[in-house]
Amino acid sequence: MSYPTITEQLDDPSSARESGRKKIEWARQHMPIMTSVAEEFADERPLEGEVVAMAMHVEAKTAVLTEVLAEAGAEVAITGCNPLSTHDDVSAALDDVDNITSYAKREVDDEEYYAAIESTLEHDPSVTVDDGGDLVMAIHEDYPELLETVIGGCEETTTGVHRLRAMDEDGELKYPMFAVNDTPMKRLFDNVHGTGEASLSSIAMTTNLSWAGKTVVVAGYGYCGKGVASKAAGQNAHVVVTEVEPRRALEAHMEGYEVMSMAEAAEVGDVFLTTTGNRDVIVGEHFEKMGDGAVLANAGHFNVEIDLDELDDMAVSRREVRDGVEEFEMADGRRLNVLADGRLVNLAAPVALGHPVEVMDQSFGVQAVCVREMVENSDTYGPGVHEVPDELDREVAEVKLAAEGIEIDELSDEQREYMDSWQHGT
């Protein structure tokens, strides 16, 4: 392969493997959905003979998904989907597993990042599992011959689904992709509770600052923004929401948050957290208005939400003041602090651990059954973006409820008939 595996890059891979294996085993102990899926997959081997290429945040929870796919019979090649989110020890532990090759490494440059993606594709995958769409883009742009053999794939995150839908609308997406991000089991838990909890905890650990009494500006009030706003308010912060969509802005207002433009928010915010998935959310005109010591972080996908080039141009100096915190000093003496190079703060900050284990258990449970569905019923899905079949999402929810010892009611035949009929009156 053109790019070395993580084992070939590390000075002491055996020590890294031991550390990574502990992290994976801890995560697996707290992932009942993946445990159930793993038992089923190990018995049935539904992915026998398949090759799965993955571009994900390579940390302990992702490793559990990777191993379960391998236990289902697949050969798996994995790399990172963000230059700063890989845990090298976890990557090394994965690379030591039969049928898994890991190219993921932390702190790579752009050339290395894309070379690792290309190496996963040199395994000739039949299925792709993506977080952000980079694998799909690389196949369509640089490996079009794989379009003849890739039967389908899954996309994990909001940004990736947006990219895929844009491709689909232009008629450029040549194989079927499940929008895993859009299922209730992903959006209602991963995006809300996962992003909300992980982003705030990573910022707190990186800065050692309190949330209480601070004004936290949340850019975007989608599912991720809702989670961040709720968790920040729960830690006694004053929350301001900025939006471009009028109905979401009104929703934030009706849920008790102060809503204003970013230009207004820049004058009052202490901490700014972007969750939009778009670019240029915080730019020069906003930097000019921010107070001394403002903290800027991103919980979207790519590091384009905060215009770091413009901030660098405006600053008279920049320096690292804590691990993961870069201070930009302005001409008037104000200091603006950017976390994790503007990348995903919940994954790219030096102390970041990603979403809580229980949350990712649900998301990756959906991923696993979607890979199985794509392999077993690929002829059902034509090229384009597909919603995850609702019965698969419900299957994962039912496994989780059973693991938690929670029982719920069922509709009676009479209730089901009533709900499905137009003939019953009030």
Side-chain angles (χ1 to χ4, degrees):
M1 293 295 172
S2 59
Y3 188 76
T5 67
I6 183 65
T7 300
E8 295 167 332
Q9 296 184 64
L10 294 178
D11 293 333
D12 186 3
S14 60
S15 177
R17 284 194 293 266
E18 182 179 352
S19 171
R21 179 52 50 193
K22 289 179 180 178
K23 292 180 180 179
I24 296 169
E25 289 176 355
W26 171 262
R28 199 156 187 164
Q29 288 175 29
H30 298 86
M31 299 177 78
I33 296 172
M34 291 305 295
T35 298
S36 176
V37 171
E39 292 171 353
E40 179 183 342
F41 279 14
D43 289 340
E44 300 177 1
R45 305 275 291 181
L47 306 184
E48 194 74 60
E50 304 295 336
V51 179
V52 179
M54 303 176 69
M56 305 283 282
H57 300 292
V58 180
E59 44 77 60
K61 288 87 70 180
T62 308
V64 175
L65 170 64
T66 308
E67 291 185 349
V68 169
L69 296 180
E71 291 161 14
E75 175 195 341
V76 184
I78 186 168
T79 189
C81 65
N82 184 298
L84 291 177
S85 64
T86 293
H87 291 200
D88 285 349
D89 55 351
V90 171
S91 181
L94 279 178
D95 198 48
D96 195 46
V97 175
D98 290 344
N99 293 341
I100 298 176
T101 306
S102 180
Y103 301 96
K105 189 175 186 299
R106 188 179 179 88
E107 295 184 346
V108 294
D109 60 27
D110 285 351
E111 183 178 351
E112 292 170 313
Y113 174 81
Y114 287 107
I117 284 178
E118 291 175 1
S119 288
T120 68
L121 298 179
E122 290 171 8
H123 287 254
D124 297 327
S126 52
V127 178
T128 61
V129 179
D130 224 338
D131 189 317
D134 282 346
L135 274 179
V136 176
M137 303 302 160
I139 289 173
H140 284 72
E141 294 173 0
D142 303 319
Y143 289 80
E145 66 276 11
L146 291 178
L147 295 173
E148 301 297 321
T149 54
V150 173
I151 60 176
C154 305
E155 171 54 51
E156 170 76 8
T157 199
T158 306
T159 302
V161 170
H162 284 170
R163 297 177 80 189
L164 293 177
R165 291 196 188 281
M167 284 184 74
D168 197 7
E169 289 173 5
D170 290 343
E172 297 297 327
L173 183 55
K174 304 302 182 182
Y175 64 84
M177 290 289 299
F178 279 134
V180 172
N181 178 78
D182 293 356
T183 69
M185 283 297 285
K186 171 69 165 60
R187 279 184 164 173
L188 296 178
F189 304 100
D190 184 304
N191 294 7
V192 176
H193 297 284
T195 301
E197 291 186 25
S199 299
L200 296 186
S201 63
S202 290
I203 292 172
M205 288 188 292
T206 301
T207 64
N208 196 30
L209 299 177
S210 172
W211 293 107
K214 286 191 171 57
T215 296
V216 178
V217 178
V218 181
Y221 200 66
Y223 287 96
C224 292
K226 290 178 183 179
V228 170
S230 174
K231 305 295 182 181
Q235 296 188 61
N236 299 321
H238 172 64
V239 177
V240 172
V241 171
T242 72
E243 249 298 346
V244 296
E245 211 290 324
R247 291 160 295 188
R248 287 181 179 169
L250 185 59
E251 182 182 14
H253 170 69
M254 295 291 284
E255 291 183 352
Y257 303 114
E258 191 168 2
V259 179
M260 59 181 71
S261 68
M262 183 60 75
E264 295 173 296
E267 297 181 354
V268 299
D270 298 307
V271 180
F272 297 79
L273 188 55
T274 57
T275 68
T276 71
N278 209 334
R279 62 173 299 161
D280 300 332
V281 178
I282 301 178
V283 296
E285 65 172 298
H286 308 131
F287 301 139
E288 291 175 349
K289 299 178 180 180
M290 290 179 181
D292 183 33
V295 173
L296 294 86
N298 170 41
H301 191 76
F302 298 113
N303 64 333
V304 295
E305 304 208 19
I306 302 167
D307 191 341
L308 296 178
D309 289 336
E310 188 166 14
L311 180 57
D312 186 49
D313 290 341
M314 295 171 64
V316 295
S317 68
R318 58 189 291 184
R319 64 185 180 122
E320 187 176 59
V321 291
R322 280 178 66 89
D323 287 347
V325 182
E326 190 165 20
E327 174 193 275
F328 292 76
E329 184 175 350
M330 314 305 282
D332 59 6
R334 290 177 301 117
R335 294 157 296 178
L336 307 184
N337 300 292
V338 175
L339 273 53
D341 195 31
R343 297 189 183 276
L344 277 171
V345 71
N346 55 308
L347 283 155
V351 294
L353 298 175
H355 290 2
V357 176
E358 298 93 335
V359 169
M360 295 313 300
D361 187 30
Q362 298 177 179
S363 295
F364 287 157
V366 177
Q367 282 278 17
V369 297
C370 281
V371 172
R372 179 192 63 193
E373 171 69 12
M374 192 61 75
V375 168
E376 293 181 345
N377 298 297
S378 59
D379 293 343
T380 306
Y381 305 98
V385 179
H386 296 267
E387 302 298 333
V388 174
D390 190 61
E391 61 269 20
L392 296 183
D393 204 51
R394 290 177 63 91
E395 174 187 339
V396 173
E398 289 166 355
V399 172
K400 179 66 171 181
L401 287 173
E404 297 287 338
I406 298 172
E407 295 184 7
I408 62 174
D409 293 321
E410 294 184 13
L411 291 174
S412 66
D413 292 340
E414 292 78 9
Q415 288 175 317
R416 195 170 282 108
E417 179 187 356
Y418 181 84
M419 295 296 291
D420 292 341
S421 173
W422 57 271
Q423 294 174 315
H424 295 290
T426 51

